[in-house]
Structure formats: structure tokens, C-alpha cells
Amino acid sequence: MTQRKKIALIGAGNIGGELAALVQRKELGDIVLFDIPAKADFAKGKALDLEQNGAVLGYDARVTGTSDWADCAGADVLIITAGIPRKPGQSRDDLVATNLPIIRNVADSAKKHCPNAFVIVISNPLDAMVYEFQRRTGFAKEKVVGMAGVLDSGRFELFLAREAGVSVKDVRAMVLGGHGDDMVPIFSACTINGVAATELISKDKLDAIAARTRKGGGEIVGLMGTSAYYAPASSAIVMAESYLLDQKRLVPTAALLNGEYGYKDLYMGVPCVLGAKGVEKIVELKLNDEEKEMLKKSAASVQGIVDVVKKAT
Ligand SMILES: NC(=O)c1ccc[n+]([C@@H]2O[C@H](COP(=O)([O-])OP(=O)(O)OC[C@H]3O[C@@H](n4cnc5c(N)ncnc54)[C@H](O)[C@@H]3O)[C@@H](O)[C@H]2O)c1
């Protein structure tokens, strides 16, 4: 008989709460909603509200709020949102001073309590935080990924669908590179039900859509005063579900590169097959010269912030 899966959500804030609601709705397993001791009651209250929501709607999942890492022990999946989100005017990189000690603290506890988990990092600056988490824990690189590309691609798909006047269901897009303003929308991988997007949308419009996608997170921060959380949570759930159900989805994932695309010892968004073994394959697309150049610029930005992280004691 298979045991119920355990999904530990580290950070019970906006994304953490929405993650818990989605895990519950999909009945992927039981949920532990973890936050710092000062927010233990908040996490417990949120967990109770969610369990009551499950009772109303008939979702069969336990939700436990806690600030005790022992409650996360043996988790199958860890999704990390611990840290602070951006405020208007801030870049993701501005968060490094606050979020680096937090990710290190989380990494040490995860290593002790959840050594077999598949880990999805969401905290920003994403590529540097997931790099540091993997470096500090020494967990297998296949089991530690960052979420950004699914979200950025979703934003790209929405804007493309609106421009083409078609259903979002028919649009496929891929955004690679780092989760920053240099992210790389891949036009050649952009289709509307198999038809190249370039056939339906003019180059000028495509460029404007790519520019809006690059600033997609900031647009929402400017409006709400804090980061997006519905779409980020859904994006991480796509990845967690692919791992838990061995779906082998091919999704843009921040993965540790070991020569792929010409980069080493760097986390960056690339197309990955996610299955029961974690990152089962990194797919190397044939990029054109312009795309290669954009990826180089994006990699340089990520490397810059990783260098800061490596130097920080
Ligand atoms: N990767 C992406 O695409 C993406 C998208 C949106 C937001 N984000 C990032 O996700 C992070 C979380 O965003 P949010 O909107 O949920 O923020 P939030 O402030 O609502 O929640 C973060 C929670 O983390 C908790 N926390 C702080 N230190 C902790 C620790 N040591 N252990 C456990 N929990 C701790 C806080 O108490 C808080 O409850 C931010 O860094 C944000 O920038 C990433």
C-alpha cells in the first residue's frame, strides 16, 4: 500500500498559503505549513482555515501549521518561499541581503530533516537562492530546482493569447535564462496550436510582449505593493505534481548546469523533463544567434549575483 505523500511548505505567507490550497485541492498529499516561531500561530491559523475549507469542499488532506522543523521530517516535496518579497521599485537582486541568511538557515534545517525531498525553491533572487540551497545542502542536483520559467512562460502565453485573440489553452511558449529582466523568451518555441506565433503576430508586437513579460513581476509589484502569488504558486505545483505523479512534463526549470548550453556550476532556466527522479533530462534546444546572445547576457547577470552570494559569509 502506498503511503500518503507529505508536502512541506517553508514560508506560510502569500505564496505558501496558495500552495497549500492547491496541494489540498489536488489531493497531492498531506501538507505542513511552516513559518518562523514569531509566525507559528499565523501558520497554525492558516492551516486550520484550510482544513475547514477542505471539509466544506470535500478535499481529503491534512494541513498542519508549525514552526518546528521536526514536523517537516521525511517530506517528499519541499517548496521554499521563505524570505521577503519585493516592494515597488526594488529589483529581485535587492533581496539578497535579507534572503541569503534565510535560505542558508532553511538549507541547514532541510538537510537535517528532509534529506530525501524533491526541493523547489521560489524565494528571490531565484537563481542565486536555489544555487546556494543546493551548494549548502549538497543534495543531488536532480532533486533541487528553482521555479521561475513556468511562471514567466505563463505570463508570455497570456500576453500572446490576448494579442492573437485566441484561447490561452492553445498557446505554448518557453522563457529561459535567469529570473530577471534579462530572461529569454524563445520565439522559435512559441506556437499557437502548432502554428508559429511569428505567423500570427508581427515582430514589433512580439518584441513588446517579450518586454512586458520581462517586467511581468514588477508590473504586479507596482500595482499591489507586493509580489504575485496565485500564478507563482500554480507554477510550482505544476513542477511538484510532475515529480509526485512521474508525469515527465517538459517545463522550463532553474536547474544546475554542467556544461549544458555552454554553462557550468550555474542555476538557470532551461527546458527539463521532471519525473520521479527529479530532473530526468535537460533538453538542449538549438538556439539562434540572437537567442544565444540573450542567454549569455542573462547568464552573466545570474553569475554576478551568485558571485555576491559566494563571497558573503
Ligand atoms: N520565483 C518566482 O517566480 C517568484 C515569484 C513571486 C515571488 N517570489 C518570491 O517568493 C518569496 C515569497 O513571497 P511571498 O509573497 O509568499 O512572501 P510573504 O512575505 O507573503 O511570505 C514569506 C514568508 O516567509 C517567512 N519566513 C521568513 N524567514 C523564514 C525562515 N527562516 N523560515 C521559514 N519561513 C520564513 C515569512 O515569515 C513569511 O511568512 C519572495 O522572496 C518573493 O520575492 C518568487
Side-chain angles (χ1 to χ4, degrees):
M1 208 167 60
T2 50
Q3 268 197 321
R4 291 165 75 94
K5 298 293 183 192
K6 182 168 174 177
I7 293 106
L9 308 173
I10 310 305
N14 285 338
I15 303 179
E18 182 59 13
L19 283 169
L22 288 167
V23 171
Q24 185 189 41
R25 217 168 296 156
K26 287 177 169 276
E27 296 188 336
L28 291 175
D30 291 332
I31 300 149
V32 180
L33 197 51
F34 176 95
D35 213 299
I36 51 174
K39 292 187 77 176
D41 281 350
F42 178 78
K44 284 178 188 166
K46 215 174 225 193
L48 199 52
D49 185 15
L50 282 161
E51 281 208 308
Q52 291 165 3
N53 189 44
V56 174
L57 296 172
Y59 301 136
D60 201 9
R62 275 185 177 279
V63 192
T64 308
T66 186
S67 62
D68 184 353
W69 265 96
D71 290 326
C72 303
D76 299 284
V77 172
L78 266 187
I79 308 182
I80 299 168
T81 61
I84 55 158
R86 282 194 282 172
K87 295 187 182 58
Q90 277 190 312
S91 79
R92 294 178 180 92
D93 294 352
D94 292 337
L95 303 177
V96 75
T98 324
N99 289 354
L100 179 60
I102 292 176
I103 206 78
R104 285 179 172 166
N105 169 273
V106 170
D108 293 346
S109 300
K111 186 172 178 171
K112 184 165 171 212
H113 296 279
C114 314
N116 299 315
F118 177 62
V119 182
I120 303 172
V121 176
I122 301 184
S123 312
N124 273 320
L126 187 270
D127 307 277
M129 292 301 102
V130 63
Y131 178 90
E132 183 62 10
F133 182 94
Q134 194 276 336
R135 183 170 85 122
R136 196 150 170 116
T137 56
F139 286 0
K141 66 179 177 15
E142 293 75 19
K143 299 287 284 289
V144 180
V145 297
M147 185 294 292
V150 178
L151 172 64
D152 297 328
S153 301
R155 287 175 173 153
F156 196 33
E157 285 167 356
L158 170 70
F159 302 146
L160 288 166
R162 292 288 186 263
E163 180 58 41
V166 300
S167 164
V168 286
K169 290 179 193 162
D170 289 330
V171 182
R172 284 283 172 276
M174 185 84 83
V175 177
L176 305 182
H179 185 49
D181 293 349
D182 299 321
M183 63 181 79
V184 185
I186 305 293
F187 290 132
S188 53
C190 219
T191 67
I192 298 173
N193 221 349
V195 180
T198 45
E199 282 190 32
L200 300 177
I201 303 175
S202 70
K203 173 91 173 74
D204 283 1
K205 290 269 165 56
L206 278 174
D207 285 342
I209 288 169
R212 188 174 176 196
T213 301
R214 289 195 180 97
K215 304 266 181 200
E219 184 178 356
I220 292 178
V221 174
L223 292 165
M224 293 205 302
T226 191
S227 285
Y229 46 96
Y230 294 112
S234 299
S235 303
I237 293 300
V238 165
M239 299 168 78
E241 195 174 25
S242 191
Y243 170 75
L244 286 166
L245 306 184
D246 195 22
Q247 289 174 331
K248 304 198 191 298
R249 300 278 313 264
L250 171 62
V251 286
T253 300
L256 186 61
L257 301 178
N258 187 25
E260 295 89 352
Y261 290 91
Y263 300 97
K264 263 193 172 178
D265 195 33
L266 193 72
Y267 264 89
M268 196 163 66
V270 289
C272 292
V273 176
L274 300 183
K277 296 190 182 85
V279 176
E280 298 193 346
K281 189 175 182 187
I282 295 178
V283 175
E284 290 202 65
L285 303 176
K286 280 201 182 71
L287 302 180
N288 62 35
D289 287 347
E290 193 187 351
E291 288 163 345
K292 277 187 200 154
E293 206 43 49
M294 286 194 286
L295 199 64
K296 196 170 156 191
K297 191 171 168 213
S298 188
S301 298
V302 174
Q303 189 65 59
I305 192 78
V306 166
D307 289 344
V308 171
V309 163
K310 276 181 171 170
K311 274 189 212 130
T313 48

